[in-house]
Amino acid sequence: MRIVCQKCAAAYAIDDRLITAKGVRAQCPRCRNLQLVRRDSSAVPSADVPAPAARPATPTAGAQPASPSTTDELLGGDAGSQAPTEVARPAFGGGAAPAPNPAADLFADFGAIPAPKPASSPPVDPFAGLGAPAESSAPGADPLLDFLGPAPAAPPAPVARVSSAPGAVPVSVAPPAAGRAPAAPAAKPATMGCRACNKPLTDPFDQALGTCDECRQREAPSSAPRAKTEPPPAAASTGAVDFLPPLSSPEEGDGSGTLEVMPRGVMAPPLGSEPRSNPRNATAPELGAEPRSGQRAAAGSAPRNISGIRSGSAAKADAGSRSGGRWVALGGLGVLLVAGGGGYLFHAKQEAARSEASKAVAPAIPEAIQAVLPRWKLKYLELEGTSSERLAQGQAQLARDERFAYAEAEESFQQALLLDPRSDAAIAGYVQAVALGRGAGLDEPTFQEARSLVEASESRAGRTAPLLLAHANLLLTRTRQAESMEQAKALAKEALAHAQATDAQKAEAHLVLGRAFLASSRGLASASFDSAQALAPGLKRIQFYRALAHESAGEYRLALETLRKRLAEDPKDWDSLAAISRLYQEVGEASEARKLYEARVKADAGELRALLPLAVLRYQAENNAAAGVRELRALLKNRGRYGERDVADVLVHLSAAERAVGNSDAGAKAAEEALGLVKDLSSAHLQLFLVALEKKDAAKAREHLPGIQGRLEDTALEMVLEGRLLLLEQKPLEAMERFQSAAQLDSRRLDARLLEGVAAMAAKRREDAFRVLNQALNGDPLRLEPRQLVTRFWMRPAETVKGVEGIIHPPSERSEDPSRLLYEGLIRFHQGDLDVADRLFRDVLESDANNAGALSYRALIALRRDNTGEARTLAARAVASGGRLLPVANLAQGLALAQDGRQVEPAKRSLRDALGRAPTMLSAKARLAELEVPQRREAARAELVSVVGLDSTYLPAKRMLYQLER
């Protein structure tokens, strides 16, 4: 019958005998499309075709049982999961043939047939006469297969091929054995006549087709309809279900294509591969195999041998030759097309590779930058414009030198980086804005993030001047870290030597150097500021830092004048306003600081930047914590007008003020609320940590310790607080290590020495405890710790040593050891519990009446109580009892004599003796300079400046200097 490919519309012919009752799948050789071909219901079987013999229900002995066919199998289902059935093939030629397997029909799975054992008889010509059908065939044998005869000795897998003539049926063909000529065909009598002319048919091929050669030649050109015959029943073998005959002719629309029937397990090579040799038709290309699975895929590797079909006439041979020629031409054309396409693709790939190599490879975005981009995108969901526009906007804001402008510039540079993650200028601007805008208040996570960004940009773009300067300014936010200061100096010097640095960038580098020299050399700092002023006269920050240089030199009046001048030029310069206010508070003029902020509140009643400092000034500088609590709570009533960060700052100060009045629970509640608004707010973690220490809740304190580590701008203080927690957790040896490290980092921390002795006593190391506590006994009794007057990290006075009483001398023990009583009294003295301390020192004197340490501290307690007479007596006894070698005894005597006002020279001698024993005793140096003012004013001033240089938080020296200038 004639079929048309459903995909490419190519027309081909297929014999009706190949189509089973349930249909068969055919493959188009042109487009490789598989389609189901069903039998034409109008066809009738030919009368000259013998009817198939009846098939018994059970196979004969020696035959394998057949499995029934299913619809899924006939439609191409995977039948390969069952083992192939070995079948017996009928012998070629006359004579008795072995009983065939019931499944051994035309559609059997030829690829699954195992190779028969070698036969002794010579090979038989497959086209010889087949003789009469054997009447004694086994039950179930198919009479259509009788003409095949016996199987060859060792044939390859047979292939059925159908002629293009009308009514052609497939005939199994096997090539002759290698090296031997085929045997002569045996004659077979005519058993039927031609269905067209009734001519007796003696040729087995003609008998199989039902027509003679002449009739086939006459019918081939015509388009008359052919008689359709009923095909034999479908085989029951499992091999038959995998029969997928592909259409082999590539010709389109002529209806004379031939059908190539491929045995199971034989797979054609894919398109473009080299065809295998064919002994019959070496020019016929192989078709691509359909996709298979399971055992069929494995069987695809079996050797394939495709034979041509012999028509028995010269015309058919010529037609096959012409078909082979067409295949050769098409194959050559395909090879040319494949070769040309491959060459073009190879050339295109080479061109693309050369093009990509010629382009500059864009550097990958560093991980540090990729880490911040997702979080920043959440802040700017509707980001518009270009990166260059945001960059220009940020640089303009940065040039204004104003605190709120720095915050705006920070956001602009973030947006510029989001729009262009490869913008190193945006990173430099962002880091610069963060460093200048937040200063020492920059929290540790933001500091580390900015540092990783600038370092990643330096590694990507090189050490450019903007990146170096931004990095240096960032390091200057850690003013108490000597290593950071040295790195900032090195970066500034490198920027100055940069070949492409502009005058403005060199001025910024000089400004960085001046800031780095503020704490060490006033002369170098001033020279750097002068150089910056010469290069960039309009840089307003120069005046601000020059005022700080005046402050470090003790020139407070000049510093105040410089800041006021800058504030007059820009009334909204909150940095200058905050610096003036801080100076006034440190020199004891808190009322002047209040006037500044009150004037700003009058100009803008709702300005939080003026209202909050006024409330903070109440509890930090004026020691009026109750008033501070009231003002802070009043600010929270209008919290809806402020941002979350501003509200969190108010809550933190409220927490500190509540703790100052003794309401720790309210303080903890306010700090927790602040953490709810701003996560990881270090100042809030500090207040909660201190509340936990006060309540001896080690677990709660441990929870908040990470929130303050590396964020308090004071590493020694952080170690002291960690040691306090370890001491609370009953880990005294580890606590000792922390206290030792804190004392080494900052020699001003007398509290670290006291706590180290307490930890040693808790660890049962009595000798170590007394050695360390004796050093603390001769330390500066008026300087327990350095304290910032205006700070976000506010702590109550002597809070670091609160809660450690009773460890050296437990109250439950009635010890008569004077050393334990003495050092317990020392702890109480520094805690501010003067009554208990005085009682303990009295107990010491009952056991040791000439104890110089106890006498000295009793004299200091008398001075605090304004009992000058008793103080002079006790100090004199301390010195007379051998305390002349004790710095604290000489200090007590000098302070007591200076308080009298009539014995100035003896007071000076005692203070000089104290300094001779302890050169770093700042209280003795400051009091001596104050006594020297009437006679040696300049020398006294120089002495006070040196005190301030050693400790900028020593407020008595600052107040003396300010009074000298007035």
Side-chain angles (χ1 to χ4, degrees):
M1 65 179 291
R2 177 186 176 89
I3 64 173
V4 178
C5 178
Q6 297 173 352
K7 185 174 182 182
C8 65
Y12 299 96
I14 182 171
D15 193 83
D16 296 328
R17 301 170 190 266
L18 297 177
I19 306 175
T20 64
K22 295 182 179 180
V24 67
R25 283 197 300 172
Q27 184 180 37
C28 175
R30 180 179 183 185
C31 64
R32 298 295 188 261
N33 178 48
L34 287 174
Q35 65 186 62
L36 180 64
V37 179
R38 296 185 181 278
R39 181 187 306 164
D40 190 351
S41 59
S42 61
V44 293
S46 177
D48 55 359
V49 178
R55 192 169 303 204
T58 57
T60 58
Q64 296 293 333
S67 60
S69 301
T70 63
T71 304
D72 293 339
E73 291 171 338
L74 288 174
L75 296 180
D78 190 359
S81 59
Q82 301 180 14
T85 306
E86 183 176 357
V87 296
R89 301 298 305 272
F92 285 94
N101 187 284
D105 61 353
L106 177 63
F107 304 99
D109 191 345
F110 298 107
I113 301 176
K117 296 180 180 180
S120 57
S121 59
V124 181
D125 186 357
F127 300 103
L130 301 178
E135 296 294 333
S136 61
S137 298
D142 194 341
L144 292 178
L145 300 179
D146 290 344
F147 69 93
L148 297 177
V159 176
R161 195 167 185 87
V162 178
S163 172
S164 60
V169 296
V171 177
S172 179
V173 179
R180 299 183 61 180
K188 182 178 180 180
T191 59
M192 61 182 297
C194 175
R195 64 171 174 261
C197 61
N198 291 325
K199 178 181 178 180
L201 301 178
T202 59
D203 187 79
F205 190 82
D206 295 342
Q207 293 176 357
L209 298 180
T211 58
C212 62
D213 186 62
E214 290 79 8
C215 294
R216 287 198 302 274
Q217 295 297 329
R218 288 194 302 269
E219 294 175 1
S222 64
S223 58
R226 298 171 297 165
K228 297 179 177 59
T229 58
E230 186 72 12
S237 171
T238 59
V241 302
D242 200 27
F243 176 65
L244 299 175
L247 299 174
S248 61
S249 176
E251 300 174 10
E252 185 175 348
D254 58 358
S256 61
T258 59
L259 180 71
E260 180 179 89
V261 181
M262 299 173 61
R264 175 179 177 173
V266 180
M267 299 179 65
L271 290 177
S273 61
E274 182 180 356
R276 300 174 185 174
S277 59
N278 193 330
R280 294 282 183 178
N281 188 5
T283 62
E286 298 178 357
L287 302 177
E290 67 169 312
R292 299 175 185 264
S293 60
Q295 295 181 1
R296 280 182 281 182
S301 60
R304 179 179 179 184
N305 193 351
I306 301 177
S307 303
I309 293 183
R310 181 177 177 184
S311 63
S313 64
K316 187 62 183 177
D318 294 339
S321 177
R322 288 193 300 270
S323 176
R326 285 195 300 271
W327 274 108
V328 171
L330 289 175
L333 180 60
V335 170
L336 290 176
L337 290 175
V338 170
Y344 174 77
L345 290 177
F346 179 76
H347 178 71
K349 288 182 179 180
Q350 282 188 330
E351 289 294 329
R354 282 194 293 268
S355 176
E356 298 225 346
S358 62
K359 297 179 181 178
V361 180
I365 300 176
E367 294 182 1
I369 300 176
Q370 294 180 7
V372 303
L373 294 180
R375 188 176 70 256
W376 289 1
K377 285 180 181 178
L378 297 178
K379 296 172 59 178
Y380 313 106
L381 296 179
E382 298 180 358
L383 189 57
E384 298 178 354
T386 63
S387 177
S388 58
E389 293 174 353
R390 301 293 181 183
L391 188 63
Q393 183 179 0
Q395 290 171 348
Q397 292 164 343
L398 199 61
R400 293 165 60 183
D401 277 346
E402 299 172 357
R403 177 64 64 90
F404 71 91
Y406 294 144
E408 294 175 356
E410 181 180 331
E411 295 181 355
S412 297
F413 288 123
Q414 285 180 338
Q415 296 170 8
L417 189 62
L418 285 174
L419 293 170
D420 182 10
R422 304 184 188 279
S423 176
D424 297 296
I427 293 178
Y430 168 74
V431 175
Q432 183 87 332
V434 166
L436 298 180
R438 305 192 190 186
L442 180 64
D443 58 279
E444 188 64 20
T446 306
F447 172 82
Q448 295 297 340
E449 180 182 272
R451 189 171 188 175
S452 63
L453 285 175
V454 72
E455 289 176 350
S457 189
E458 287 174 350
S459 63
R460 178 176 65 180
R463 300 176 70 83
T464 62
L467 290 172
L468 293 172
L469 294 173
H471 197 173
N473 277 302
L474 181 66
L475 293 174
L476 287 181
T477 61
R478 297 299 182 255
T479 55
R480 294 191 175 277
Q481 298 178 6
E483 183 179 357
S484 296
M485 293 294 101
E486 293 301 322
Q487 291 179 1
K489 292 178 185 178
L491 291 171
K493 294 177 181 178
E494 185 178 352
L496 279 174
H498 201 282
Q500 299 179 355
T502 63
D503 288 345
Q505 292 168 351
K506 291 180 179 179
E508 184 69 33
H510 283 297
L511 201 57
V512 170
L513 287 174
R515 293 175 59 192
F517 283 125
L518 279 176
S520 58
S521 174
R522 174 179 176 263
L524 291 176
S526 297
S528 297
F529 294 144
D530 291 339
S531 300
Q533 185 80 38
L535 289 170
L539 192 57
K540 294 186 291 184
R541 277 183 296 121
I542 297 177
Q543 299 301 326
F544 177 78
Y545 294 123
R546 194 183 293 277
L548 297 183
H550 294 319
E551 180 187 359
S552 66
E555 300 173 347
Y556 298 121
R557 179 171 296 181
L558 191 56
L560 290 171
E561 290 177 358
T562 303
L563 291 172
R564 284 186 178 276
K565 181 179 178 181
R566 187 170 188 256
L567 190 61
E569 296 174 355
D570 184 7
K572 292 185 178 181
D573 183 7
W574 295 99
D575 288 342
S576 298
L577 182 62
I580 295 173
S581 174
R582 177 184 57 79
L583 271 175
Y584 273 130
Q585 293 179 57
E586 289 178 350
V587 299
E589 299 290 341
S591 59
E592 295 294 329
R594 177 168 291 279
K595 291 178 183 178
L596 289 172
Y597 284 112
E598 287 176 349
R600 190 55 57 89
V601 171
K602 289 180 181 179
D604 188 357
E607 182 57 67
L608 184 63
R609 285 177 288 186
L611 293 171
L612 181 58
L614 284 172
V616 173
L617 189 144
R618 288 289 189 192
Y619 83 91
Q620 289 191 5
E622 298 176 351
N623 295 322
N624 191 350
V629 169
R630 290 194 299 270
E631 294 184 14
L632 290 167
R633 290 195 176 276
L635 291 177
L636 290 175
K637 293 180 180 179
N638 299 321
R639 62 192 304 169
R641 299 168 53 185
Y642 314 126
E644 290 186 351
R645 180 63 189 236
D646 294 334
V647 174
D649 289 339
V650 175
L651 288 169
V652 168
H653 285 294
L654 177 61
S655 174
E658 291 281 10
R659 292 182 54 250
V661 298
N663 194 353
S664 297
D665 292 334
K669 183 179 179 181
E672 289 174 352
E673 188 177 356
L675 281 179
L677 294 175
V678 179
K679 186 180 179 181
D680 293 334
L681 188 59
S682 54
S683 54
H685 280 294
L686 174 64
Q687 299 302 323
L688 290 170
F689 180 86
L690 295 174
V691 170
L693 282 184
E694 181 182 351
K695 295 184 176 182
K696 299 187 182 303
D697 187 349
K700 194 71 174 179
R702 175 62 65 180
E703 178 183 346
H704 293 285
L705 179 64
I708 63 176
Q709 288 181 322
R711 305 184 183 188
L712 299 186
E713 305 167 12
D714 190 342
T715 307
L717 174 60
E718 292 171 8
M719 289 188 174
V720 168
L721 294 177
E722 185 180 2
R724 281 296 315 272
L725 174 59
L726 292 170
L727 196 60
L728 184 61
E729 292 174 338
Q730 305 298 322
K731 300 176 182 178
L733 294 178
E734 297 181 25
M736 282 182 62
E737 295 178 0
R738 302 300 188 277
F739 297 138
Q740 288 174 358
S741 300
Q744 292 172 0
L745 286 173
D746 191 347
S747 59
R748 301 173 299 172
R749 300 211 70 96
L750 182 61
D751 57 347
R753 290 295 184 192
L754 290 171
L755 292 169
E756 182 184 354
V758 172
M761 184 64 73
K764 308 300 182 183
R765 294 187 176 185
R766 183 176 183 274
E767 298 299 326
D768 293 338
F770 287 171
R771 175 181 54 80
V772 175
L773 290 172
N774 184 62
Q775 296 175 3
L777 183 70
N778 288 281
D780 192 339
L782 305 184
R783 291 287 294 144
L784 174 66
E785 58 189 354
R787 284 181 56 81
Q788 296 286 343
L789 184 60
V790 183
T791 178
R792 297 181 299 123
F793 305 107
W794 187 85
M795 299 173 62
R796 291 177 296 184
E799 189 159 13
T800 54
V801 295
K802 295 286 186 182
V804 297
E805 63 277 0
I807 296 179
I808 296 175
H809 178 65
S812 58
E813 296 184 9
R814 301 284 301 178
S815 175
E816 300 298 331
D817 187 352
S819 296
R820 298 182 68 175
L821 294 172
L822 176 65
Y823 297 134
E824 182 68 26
L826 180 65
I827 295 293
R828 299 285 185 152
F829 174 83
H830 285 291
Q831 287 179 343
D833 194 353
L834 299 182
D835 292 336
V836 176
D838 190 53
R839 178 174 54 80
L840 289 171
F841 291 137
R842 286 176 182 273
D843 293 341
V844 172
L845 293 175
E846 288 179 1
S847 301
D848 183 6
N850 294 323
N851 191 297
L855 291 170
S856 300
Y857 275 90
R858 284 202 65 206
L860 293 173
I861 292 173
L863 284 175
R864 291 195 181 183
R865 294 172 175 174
D866 293 332
N867 193 347
T868 306
E870 184 180 2
R872 286 199 307 270
T873 302
L874 291 171
R877 285 180 57 190
V879 173
S881 300
R884 185 173 296 275
L885 299 178
L886 293 178
V888 65
N890 290 289
L891 175 66
Q893 186 177 35
L895 294 176
L897 293 175
Q899 191 74 15
D900 188 2
R902 292 175 297 180
Q903 302 183 24
V904 175
E905 292 302 324
K908 290 181 182 180
R909 286 195 298 270
S910 296
L911 292 173
R912 291 191 184 100
D913 290 340
L915 286 173
R917 306 290 188 273
T920 59
M921 189 174 283
L922 298 183
S923 56
K925 182 176 290 191
R927 187 56 173 150
L928 179 60
E930 185 179 8
L931 294 177
E932 293 282 359
V933 168
Q935 293 83 18
R936 303 172 57 196
R937 183 182 182 90
E938 292 301 324
R941 187 182 182 284
E943 195 71 17
L944 291 173
V945 169
S946 66
V947 171
V948 174
L950 292 172
D951 185 3
S952 60
T953 65
Y954 193 70
L955 301 185
K958 286 191 171 184
R959 291 166 183 168
M960 293 178 194
L961 282 171
Y962 183 72
Q963 293 299 326
L964 283 176
E965 291 187 348
R966 295 184 65 180

